[in-house]
Amino acid sequence: MNSAERKVLHVALALFLVGILVRFLPWGLPSVDFVDIGERPRRVETPPLQSKLEYAARGAPEAVETDESVNENLHKKAGKKPRKKKAVVRFPLHINTATADELCALKGVGPKLAEKIIAFREQHGPFDGPASLQKVPGIGKKKLEGMLQWVIFD
């Protein structure tokens, strides 16, 4: 080992020992206990879930709730319009009375397919079971299997 390598090894060993001293000695480093940054919007945090369907099935709102007055003030300062709150969809969904927005909450159903389901329901009457729902153009076997656990046929 040459002298340059020895110097690097000595510096590394010294830094290691300083790190151990800082970590384990009782005096430690100074810390900040409290910082006042003023009023902030109150938030209700919700636990992360696997999917929107599971989220809505538990009866929880889809977005984080904030205090209304704080929310409006924040949008006024930013010069933006406040967003509309999304409707909470409760599962299982009654397929024969569901609106387009409620149908869009189903996995694999977008606005166009929701309109097709409603149009088919208005033309042919209420759905009797899975076989009648599968007659809607755009609903195949796999999509039907994904939807069946979230719908009820009245």
Tab-separated table of all heavy atoms in Angstrom, residues 2-3 7-8 12-13 32 38 48 50 54 65 68 75 85 92 103 106 120 126 134 141 149 153:
chain	number	residue	atom	x	y	z
A	2	ASN	N	0.645	2.157	-0.934
A	2	ASN	CA	1.485	3.351	-1.011
A	2	ASN	C	0.974	4.445	-0.075
A	2	ASN	O	-0.057	4.297	0.577
A	2	ASN	CB	1.616	3.841	-2.460
A	2	ASN	CG	0.280	4.232	-3.049
A	2	ASN	OD1	-0.628	4.564	-2.313
A	2	ASN	ND2	0.188	4.195	-4.358
A	3	SER	N	1.661	5.555	-0.002
A	3	SER	CA	1.335	6.598	0.978
A	3	SER	C	-0.008	7.277	0.668
A	3	SER	O	-0.745	7.649	1.588
A	3	SER	CB	2.458	7.631	1.040
A	3	SER	OG	2.558	8.319	-0.189
A	7	LYS	N	-3.231	7.503	3.265
A	7	LYS	CA	-3.898	8.741	3.647
A	7	LYS	C	-5.412	8.629	3.449
A	7	LYS	O	-6.201	9.077	4.296
A	7	LYS	CB	-3.346	9.920	2.836
A	7	LYS	CG	-1.949	10.332	3.251
A	7	LYS	CD	-1.465	11.496	2.417
A	7	LYS	CE	-0.028	11.862	2.788
A	7	LYS	NZ	0.483	12.962	1.972
A	8	VAL	N	-5.840	8.061	2.349
A	8	VAL	CA	-7.268	7.873	2.084
A	8	VAL	C	-7.870	6.963	3.140
A	8	VAL	O	-8.965	7.218	3.655
A	8	VAL	CB	-7.500	7.310	0.658
A	8	VAL	CG1	-8.945	6.877	0.469
A	8	VAL	CG2	-7.104	8.335	-0.389
A	12	ALA	N	-10.816	8.015	5.818
A	12	ALA	CA	-12.047	7.236	5.886
A	12	ALA	C	-12.272	6.723	7.299
A	12	ALA	O	-13.399	6.771	7.827
A	12	ALA	CB	-12.002	6.081	4.893
A	13	LEU	N	-11.227	6.234	7.959
A	13	LEU	CA	-11.336	5.738	9.324
A	13	LEU	C	-11.700	6.877	10.284
A	13	LEU	O	-12.540	6.701	11.171
A	13	LEU	CB	-10.019	5.080	9.738
A	13	LEU	CG	-10.010	4.397	11.103
A	13	LEU	CD1	-11.046	3.293	11.137
A	13	LEU	CD2	-8.635	3.839	11.404
A	32	VAL	N	-34.758	21.152	16.037
A	32	VAL	CA	-35.838	22.129	16.061
A	32	VAL	C	-37.087	21.391	16.519
A	32	VAL	O	-37.522	20.425	15.894
A	32	VAL	CB	-36.044	22.751	14.665
A	32	VAL	CG1	-37.216	23.712	14.676
A	32	VAL	CG2	-34.781	23.428	14.204
A	38	GLY	N	-48.007	29.203	10.419
A	38	GLY	CA	-49.310	29.823	10.224
A	38	GLY	C	-50.407	28.793	10.024
A	38	GLY	O	-50.205	27.587	10.121
A	48	PRO	N	-54.502	4.770	1.699
A	48	PRO	CA	-54.457	4.387	0.288
A	48	PRO	C	-55.170	3.054	0.072
A	48	PRO	O	-55.100	2.167	0.916
A	48	PRO	CB	-52.959	4.263	-0.003
A	48	PRO	CG	-52.327	4.053	1.323
A	48	PRO	CD	-53.205	4.741	2.334
A	50	GLN	N	-56.598	0.003	-3.047
A	50	GLN	CA	-56.177	-0.653	-4.278
A	50	GLN	C	-56.786	-0.016	-5.520
A	50	GLN	O	-56.127	0.155	-6.513
A	50	GLN	CB	-56.542	-2.137	-4.244
A	50	GLN	CG	-55.848	-2.897	-3.145
A	50	GLN	CD	-54.357	-2.953	-3.349
A	50	GLN	OE1	-53.866	-2.945	-4.467
A	50	GLN	NE2	-53.607	-2.990	-2.262
A	54	GLU	N	-62.848	-0.142	-4.881
A	54	GLU	CA	-62.716	-0.520	-3.484
A	54	GLU	C	-62.916	0.705	-2.601
A	54	GLU	O	-63.527	0.632	-1.548
A	54	GLU	CB	-61.336	-1.130	-3.247
A	54	GLU	CG	-61.137	-1.618	-1.824
A	54	GLU	CD	-59.766	-2.200	-1.605
A	54	GLU	OE1	-59.024	-2.388	-2.570
A	54	GLU	OE2	-59.426	-2.450	-0.440
A	65	GLU	N	-61.128	15.602	1.752
A	65	GLU	CA	-62.037	16.673	2.113
A	65	GLU	C	-61.258	17.817	2.754
A	65	GLU	O	-60.365	17.605	3.548
A	65	GLU	CB	-63.073	16.159	3.103
A	65	GLU	CG	-63.963	15.089	2.527
A	65	GLU	CD	-64.933	14.566	3.568
A	65	GLU	OE1	-64.872	14.973	4.731
A	65	GLU	OE2	-65.752	13.739	3.191
A	68	GLU	N	-64.554	23.969	3.686
A	68	GLU	CA	-65.112	24.685	2.531
A	68	GLU	C	-64.604	26.116	2.427
A	68	GLU	O	-64.237	26.577	1.359
A	68	GLU	CB	-66.642	24.684	2.605
A	68	GLU	CG	-67.277	23.326	2.356
A	68	GLU	CD	-66.984	22.805	0.965
A	68	GLU	OE1	-66.942	23.589	0.004
A	68	GLU	OE2	-66.792	21.586	0.839
A	75	HIS	N	-58.868	29.080	-3.782
A	75	HIS	CA	-59.167	29.222	-5.204
A	75	HIS	C	-59.280	30.693	-5.605
A	75	HIS	O	-58.916	31.071	-6.714
A	75	HIS	CB	-60.443	28.466	-5.568
A	75	HIS	CG	-60.253	26.990	-5.585
A	75	HIS	ND1	-59.438	26.355	-6.480
A	75	HIS	CD2	-60.763	26.008	-4.801
A	75	HIS	CE1	-59.454	25.068	-6.261
A	75	HIS	NE2	-60.247	24.823	-5.236
A	85	LYS	N	-67.276	18.706	-6.609
A	85	LYS	CA	-66.997	17.474	-5.886
A	85	LYS	C	-67.595	16.310	-6.664
A	85	LYS	O	-68.714	16.397	-7.176
A	85	LYS	CB	-67.591	17.518	-4.490
A	85	LYS	CG	-66.854	18.448	-3.570
A	85	LYS	CD	-67.361	18.298	-2.163
A	85	LYS	CE	-66.566	19.166	-1.234
A	85	LYS	NZ	-67.013	19.031	0.146
A	92	PRO	N	-73.037	-2.339	-3.893
A	92	PRO	CA	-73.298	-2.692	-5.283
A	92	PRO	C	-74.266	-1.712	-5.939
A	92	PRO	O	-75.114	-1.130	-5.286
A	92	PRO	CB	-73.893	-4.095	-5.207
A	92	PRO	CG	-74.436	-4.208	-3.839
A	92	PRO	CD	-73.618	-3.318	-2.968
A	103	LEU	N	-72.475	4.658	-13.519
A	103	LEU	CA	-71.970	3.564	-14.346
A	103	LEU	C	-70.493	3.760	-14.686
A	103	LEU	O	-69.740	2.793	-14.801
A	103	LEU	CB	-72.796	3.435	-15.632
A	103	LEU	CG	-74.219	2.907	-15.448
A	103	LEU	CD1	-75.002	3.041	-16.749
A	103	LEU	CD2	-74.206	1.472	-14.983
A	106	LEU	N	-67.797	2.054	-12.566
A	106	LEU	CA	-67.488	0.638	-12.749
A	106	LEU	C	-66.203	0.477	-13.546
A	106	LEU	O	-65.925	1.257	-14.463
A	106	LEU	CB	-68.634	-0.083	-13.477
A	106	LEU	CG	-69.946	-0.184	-12.724
A	106	LEU	CD1	-71.028	-0.694	-13.656
A	106	LEU	CD2	-69.795	-1.096	-11.531
A	120	PHE	N	-79.636	1.118	-24.224
A	120	PHE	CA	-80.119	-0.256	-24.365
A	120	PHE	C	-81.214	-0.533	-23.332
A	120	PHE	O	-82.222	-1.172	-23.639
A	120	PHE	CB	-78.955	-1.234	-24.183
A	120	PHE	CG	-79.287	-2.654	-24.526
A	120	PHE	CD1	-79.160	-3.124	-25.819
A	120	PHE	CD2	-79.743	-3.533	-23.543
A	120	PHE	CE1	-79.468	-4.427	-26.136
A	120	PHE	CE2	-80.053	-4.840	-23.852
A	120	PHE	CZ	-79.917	-5.294	-25.144
A	126	PRO	N	-85.702	-3.182	-18.455
A	126	PRO	CA	-84.677	-3.444	-17.435
A	126	PRO	C	-83.917	-4.745	-17.703
A	126	PRO	O	-84.439	-5.674	-18.327
A	126	PRO	CB	-85.476	-3.531	-16.137
A	126	PRO	CG	-86.878	-3.778	-16.533
A	126	PRO	CD	-87.049	-3.210	-17.900
A	134	GLN	N	-75.007	-8.564	-21.223
A	134	GLN	CA	-73.971	-8.866	-22.208
A	134	GLN	C	-74.432	-8.549	-23.630
A	134	GLN	O	-73.614	-8.428	-24.537
A	134	GLN	CB	-73.556	-10.339	-22.108
A	134	GLN	CG	-72.284	-10.658	-22.847
A	134	GLN	CD	-71.792	-12.067	-22.577
A	134	GLN	OE1	-72.453	-12.851	-21.911
A	134	GLN	NE2	-70.628	-12.387	-23.098
A	141	LYS	N	-67.401	-10.929	-22.576
A	141	LYS	CA	-67.379	-11.860	-21.455
A	141	LYS	C	-66.481	-11.358	-20.319
A	141	LYS	O	-66.870	-11.374	-19.154
A	141	LYS	CB	-66.900	-13.229	-21.954
A	141	LYS	CG	-66.936	-14.303	-20.910
A	141	LYS	CD	-66.493	-15.643	-21.469
A	141	LYS	CE	-66.492	-16.708	-20.391
A	141	LYS	NZ	-66.023	-18.001	-20.898
A	149	GLN	N	-69.521	-8.363	-10.024
A	149	GLN	CA	-69.384	-8.290	-8.569
A	149	GLN	C	-69.803	-6.937	-8.007
A	149	GLN	O	-69.977	-6.796	-6.804
A	149	GLN	CB	-67.960	-8.604	-8.157
A	149	GLN	CG	-66.930	-7.638	-8.695
A	149	GLN	CD	-65.532	-8.052	-8.310
A	149	GLN	OE1	-65.353	-8.899	-7.465
A	149	GLN	NE2	-64.544	-7.441	-8.934
A	153	PHE	N	-79.028	-6.771	-10.158
A	153	PHE	CA	-80.146	-6.744	-11.103
A	153	PHE	C	-81.429	-6.748	-10.288
A	153	PHE	O	-81.706	-7.679	-9.556
A	153	PHE	CB	-80.085	-7.962	-12.034
A	153	PHE	CG	-78.855	-8.010	-12.872
A	153	PHE	CD1	-77.736	-8.720	-12.444
A	153	PHE	CD2	-78.784	-7.342	-14.066
A	153	PHE	CE1	-76.601	-8.745	-13.192
A	153	PHE	CE2	-77.638	-7.362	-14.830
A	153	PHE	CZ	-76.552	-8.068	-14.407
